[in-house]
Amino acid sequence: MSDLVGVENRDGISLVTIDNPPVNALSLGVPEGLAVALDQIEKDSSIRAAVLMGAGRTFVAGADIREFGKIKPGSQRCAGHLALFYRVESCAKPIVAAIHGTAFGGGLELAMSAHYRVAVADAQLGQPEVKLGLIPGAGGTQRLPRLAGLAKAVEMCAQGNPIKATEAHQLGIIDRIVEGDLLAGAIAFAKEVSGKPAPKTRERNEELGNAAENAPIFASARQNAQRKQRGLMAPLAAIDAIEAATRMRFEPGCEEEQRLFLQCLFSEQSKALIHVFFGEREVAKIPDVPKETPTIPVNSVGVVGAGTMGGGIAMVFANAGIPVLLKEADQAALDRGLRTIKNNYEISVSRGRFTRAFVDQRMKLIRPTLSFEEFGGVDMIVEAVFEGMALKKEVFAELDRVCKPGAILASNTSSLSIDEIAKATSRPHLVIGTHFFSPANVMRLVEIVRGAATSKEAIATCMSLTKRLGKIGVLVGNCFGFVGNRMFGPYRREAQFLVEEGADIEAVDKAMYEFGMAMGPLATGDLAGLDVGWRIRKENPQLFKEASRKAFIEDRLCELGRFGQKTGAGWYKYDDKRQAASDAEVSALISTWSTKAGIPQRMIAGEEIVERLIYTLVNEGARILEEGYALRAVDIDIIYLNGYGFPSYRGGPMWYADRVGLRQVLQRIREFEQRFGNWWKPAPLLVRLAGQGQTFSELAAKQTVAA
Ligand code: 3H9
């Protein structure tokens, strides 16, 4: 018997327990152990039925994702899971899956091959494979529609979101919700069904519908996938596999599923998404701030500034149930801020994201104030005032005066020095950056910026707080623009260069949208406000010296009052619903300005647009890594995926460069350096890795970020 699967006889009921911490994945040894358990159940005449469950905190969270990278074309490993589950289902004695925690992926497939399923009410069931660029590969697309009905199976497999056991019970996936002790309930259930014929999911065809009923379900699911999961192949493959279940008998349906599963498994998309899965967990690990680092309890917060960022941040805390004191300088600004928060919540209610009761409770958690004096009792403050050093220092001096000694003072600055801000206080060890992204209540990323004096406790607190807020925190060092914006600066500058050289505004945005970015760089500028960068450039001219060529269009547009969406015009013009349209006037102006500046005009292909924009990100990312402002290449990837609309199925800019091959990336960067100028000088780390035939992913993590 494998160490990972235990079997014991409980009064004629065989209790089979999978014990493979932390999540009972179906790693090597588990399927083998289950096969031995099946032999025993079948052979032992004293056994009347079996209960299958997971030890520890969960049932089975799926196949072992770490093993996927080792599977070579032609391997029978995945087909092995399918065959094993077929055997489970073929067992003549009833097998009851007892579910707590999560039955995900291969875990749910295993449970569906059992004859019955019981669960505790808060268990979750799902086929999340699409989030890894995969589809269920052990019969999930064939069994789920037979239990849950076609529409629900399509939704679960194509979107990958889990459902609660209570919903699964209503749908017929779960046979009984167990109140109280799961094991006792499952054994009692097994005794009830022992001696009865064991029903096989694969033989249940009544939920599969007919062609006329099913066609609109498939059509709308495909349309939905193309719109909401743009560029991803797995959702469409999952729908195809379920369609096969309606057209074929079970066995050929499984063969079709296996074919599509393997196609996904060996795709670049799946490799990238698996990199993202582990990356999201990796960023929480900071070598010099171990898990055991004490944290400061945060039970109430203050937010300074009720503008777009401050208001969004206040909502984030309120949504997590943390009371917020929201401060503005004058009553009109405070009222405006509260009105925006209310409107945002109303939109969420109208879209069914939140209930009215939830929103009412959250609004009560946000208490407006005009005075700093009320901040004495809060555990942490997030400052989100206008981006200017003088003002930030004024605010921090005031916060230092009024806040209790142990309170954390965080700044939402997107580029300014945390150390400089900390100088305005007597507690630099408690000063830290928490850079939320706009809109803060929607975007998942928070860059946690470590200053030279920031304590490990403050870092550990902010990292765990971001998790509590439902966000993903990534630790970064204190350089200008930190990681995300430091890379975004050259990216957006290069986009302007392309336009100066003759590329159409729309062509630049379209090329990047087709690459998979949520938005093109110029449309993003209009959304964020072109004036933000313009003001920073004016305030910090010393920071922009290194490039021999300066982009000028955005500054000129700002001089004309074209700040982007908020003024109804920027790169594009906007109607009152903020719908963008090309603006011939801007195109004519750009052409005149560029010709006057002596820049030769030419047609620029989409491929060059993508290479120049992505490789500029990669080159700056390599510098950041070498200088130590990010711990690992994957930290940069997670920042770009969650804060800048980089397509998840490309794994982030550093992963993408690794997959293209660093030699090839370097070669193109050298060509650009020759053709365009010194700002394309390749980063020394890129030169070194390319020379050694290595990748960014292979670099060891730094102990901590540079301050
Ligand atoms: C599949 O099943 C394909 C099938 O159709 C069969 C084909 C033949 N494998 O998330 P956490 C690790 S595809 C390996 O922090 P939580 C994770 O990396 C699979 N490792 O905990 C972490 O490691 P570390 C379909 C896994 O409580 C540790 O466990 N299934 C796996 O916040 C703790 O994880 C999924 O996609 C795995 N399957 O959340 C489910 N799962 O400590 C993926 C986790 O070293 N998993 N690890 O950083 C999850 O969604 C969450 O982990 C779960 C727990 C909700 C289960």
Side-chain angles (χ1 to χ4, degrees):
M1 175 59 59
S2 148
D3 293 346
L4 305 177
V5 181
V7 185
E8 55 182 292
N9 188 336
R10 296 257 181 126
D11 189 20
I13 305 297
S14 176
L15 174 60
V16 182
T17 310
I18 300 173
D19 189 1
N20 182 24
V23 295
N24 295 326
L26 298 168
S27 321
L28 203 68
V30 174
E32 292 73 8
L34 285 172
V36 175
L38 277 174
D39 289 342
Q40 287 187 12
I41 294 164
E42 279 163 352
K43 278 189 202 137
D44 186 341
S45 57
S46 71
I47 297 293
R48 288 172 287 129
V51 167
L52 173 63
M53 67 188 298
R57 60 178 164 135
T58 189
F59 183 68
V60 173
D64 188 333
I65 302 167
R66 287 191 197 276
E67 288 178 358
F68 286 144
K70 300 174 200 152
I71 299 175
K72 299 273 171 291
S75 152
Q76 288 306 301
R77 177 101 187 109
C78 301
H81 284 92
L82 185 63
L84 173 71
F85 297 171
Y86 196 89
R87 237 199 103 190
V88 171
E89 197 171 44
S90 305
C91 181
K93 298 175 189 174
I95 299 179
V96 181
I99 303 170
H100 71 300
T102 50
F104 279 0
L108 179 54
E109 291 174 301
L110 172 62
M112 290 191 295
S113 67
H115 306 107
Y116 299 98
R117 286 146 297 278
V118 300
V120 290
D122 65 355
Q124 294 194 65
L125 288 78
Q127 298 285 175
E129 288 88 342
V130 279
K131 299 198 174 174
L132 301 169
L134 297 170
I135 67 165
T141 62
Q142 309 300 298
R143 288 196 179 90
L144 191 55
R146 287 177 158 86
L147 287 177
L150 196 79
K152 195 68 193 179
V154 166
E155 183 191 311
M156 286 175 71
C157 294
Q159 296 173 20
N161 298 323
I163 58 169
K164 291 248 171 68
T166 41
E167 186 184 350
H169 184 222
Q170 282 160 9
L171 289 164
I173 307 173
I174 295 291
D175 298 291
R176 181 180 294 171
I177 295 290
V178 174
E179 311 282 346
D181 185 55
L182 177 63
L183 176 58
I187 288 185
F189 188 94
K191 285 184 175 162
E192 283 172 38
V193 294
S194 67
K196 295 187 186 157
K200 296 181 180 61
T201 306
R202 64 175 183 249
E203 289 173 357
R204 293 171 55 172
N205 295 332
E206 64 277 9
E207 296 287 342
L208 290 178
N210 60 46
E213 285 161 6
N214 295 343
I217 297 175
F218 291 127
S220 108
R222 287 191 173 104
Q223 214 179 34
N224 214 17
Q226 272 150 353
R227 210 158 39 87
K228 295 196 178 147
Q229 296 155 291
R230 186 170 60 90
L232 283 166
M233 59 187 272
L236 295 171
I239 299 166
D240 289 349
I242 296 178
E243 193 166 24
T246 66
R247 293 216 181 122
M248 303 173 182
R249 283 178 301 103
F250 180 80
E251 288 80 357
C254 285
E255 278 167 28
E256 179 60 3
E257 177 196 79
Q258 191 66 193
R259 187 186 70 76
L260 291 162
F261 172 81
L262 291 173
Q263 218 172 57
C264 291
L265 182 68
F266 297 124
S267 70
E268 276 301 316
Q269 291 201 352
S270 172
K271 290 185 177 68
L273 286 160
I274 289 175
H275 160 76
V276 175
F277 175 85
F278 288 115
E280 288 195 347
R281 283 145 185 90
E282 196 68 15
V283 294
K285 296 170 189 157
I286 303 163
D288 83 329
V289 184
K291 272 207 311 279
E292 311 72 47
T293 308
T295 54
I296 300 161
V298 177
N299 296 316
S300 61
V301 298
V303 173
V304 186
T308 312
M309 283 313 292
I313 294 167
M315 289 173 76
V316 170
F317 282 106
N319 291 346
I322 301 173
V324 190
L325 201 53
L326 180 62
K327 152 113 184 40
E328 251 305 345
D330 60 69
Q331 192 62 48
L334 195 54
D335 291 345
R336 226 178 7 254
L338 283 171
R339 248 194 330 271
T340 308
I341 293 176
K342 229 175 159 176
N343 279 344
N344 287 339
Y345 273 134
E346 289 305 326
I347 293 170
S348 297
V349 172
S350 69
R351 289 186 183 157
R353 194 169 156 239
F354 292 148
T355 62
R356 159 91 29 224
F358 178 88
V359 164
D360 290 347
Q361 272 168 9
R362 300 306 136 188
M363 276 309 286
K364 280 194 198 126
L365 286 174
I366 303 176
R367 195 158 65 79
T369 180
L370 291 172
S371 157
F372 274 120
E373 301 305 323
E374 292 194 53
F375 278 56
V378 298
D379 300 320
M380 174 173 171
I381 289 89
V382 181
E383 162 278 312
V385 301
F386 186 73
E387 194 77 347
M389 185 53 87
L391 178 61
K392 301 254 180 206
K393 283 182 130 174
E394 222 174 89
V395 169
F396 271 74
E398 196 59 19
L399 289 172
D400 190 41
R401 186 182 65 78
V402 296
C403 293
K404 63 185 180 191
I408 295 179
L409 308 184
S411 173
N412 183 53
T413 178
S414 56
S415 59
L416 302 176
S417 168
I418 294 300
D419 291 338
E420 197 54 36
I421 294 173
K423 279 187 196 156
T425 75
S426 62
R427 58 177 101 185
H429 63 294
L430 292 173
V431 177
I432 192 164
T434 49
H435 177 209
F436 288 81
F437 284 68
S438 183
N441 51 319
V442 177
M443 300 293 281
R444 261 182 99 207
L445 179 67
V446 185
E447 280 183 322
I448 309 289
V449 191
R450 180 178 201 158
T454 309
S455 70
K456 292 183 182 179
E457 286 75 12
I459 295 170
T461 303
C462 289
M463 291 299 291
S464 79
L465 183 64
T466 44
K467 198 164 183 197
R468 193 170 147 206
L469 298 176
K471 305 276 173 200
I472 186 152
V474 183
L475 186 72
V476 298
N478 182 33
C479 57
F480 181 72
F482 315 128
V483 169
N485 282 348
R486 175 168 159 185
M487 288 164 66
F488 207 53
Y491 169 81
R492 295 206 57 254
R493 187 182 63 198
E494 198 64 27
Q496 290 190 68
F497 288 167
L498 284 159
V499 178
E500 289 171 9
E501 290 163 27
D504 283 341
I505 296 169
E506 295 78 3
V508 172
D509 279 345
K510 183 165 171 274
M512 297 317 291
Y513 183 77
E514 283 174 358
F515 175 80
M517 299 295 289
M519 263 180 131
L522 305 171
T524 307
D526 274 359
L527 177 68
L530 303 181
D531 54 322
V532 181
W534 181 48
R535 288 209 174 92
I536 295 175
R537 284 189 289 279
K538 280 203 288 192
E539 196 181 321
N540 305 282
Q542 77 286 357
L543 293 166
F544 298 92
K545 266 188 199 140
E546 87 290 355
S548 55
R549 177 174 161 190
K550 290 201 170 48
F552 56 78
I553 301 178
E554 288 197 351
D555 289 354
R556 299 262 174 98
L557 292 176
C558 286
E559 283 155 20
L560 295 173
R562 298 183 71 116
F563 292 173
Q565 287 197 15
K566 59 180 150 189
T567 55
W571 288 99
Y572 297 88
K573 59 184 175 188
Y574 296 89
D575 62 17
D576 48 9
K577 291 199 180 87
R578 296 203 169 193
Q579 284 295 323
S582 358
D583 192 340
E585 195 187 321
V586 168
S587 303
L589 278 173
I590 291 170
S591 162
T592 312
W593 293 335
S594 303
T595 314
K596 254 195 187 154
I599 302 169
Q601 301 292 291
R602 64 188 172 98
M603 291 285 288
I604 302 181
E607 195 185 346
E608 180 182 330
I609 294 173
V610 170
E611 281 188 327
R612 282 175 62 180
L613 290 178
I614 298 299
Y615 293 171
T616 204
L617 282 179
V618 173
N619 208 23
E620 195 61 29
R623 285 204 180 88
I624 288 173
L625 261 184
E626 180 137 60
E627 292 165 21
Y629 291 105
L631 285 172
R632 296 155 286 236
V634 69
D635 292 42
I636 298 179
D637 288 336
I638 298 300
I639 287 174
Y640 261 75
L641 296 169
N642 291 284
Y644 295 85
F646 202 93
S648 57
Y649 59 83
R650 295 198 192 267
M654 310 314 277
W655 174 264
Y656 177 75
D658 278 350
R659 301 304 296 179
V660 170
L662 296 191
R663 277 201 183 123
Q664 191 182 326
V665 173
L666 176 63
Q667 189 195 329
R668 290 298 282 155
I669 288 181
R670 285 202 160 125
E671 284 165 23
F672 294 150
E673 186 187 15
Q674 291 247 308
R675 247 174 100 189
F676 303 115
N678 63 355
W679 71 94
W680 273 106
K681 196 172 165 36
L685 177 66
L686 175 61
V687 175
R688 199 178 80 228
L689 292 177
Q692 295 166 347
Q694 278 190 300
T695 59
F696 290 122
S697 316
E698 283 164 339
L699 279 175
K702 297 266 185 329
Q703 265 304 100
T704 195
V705 289

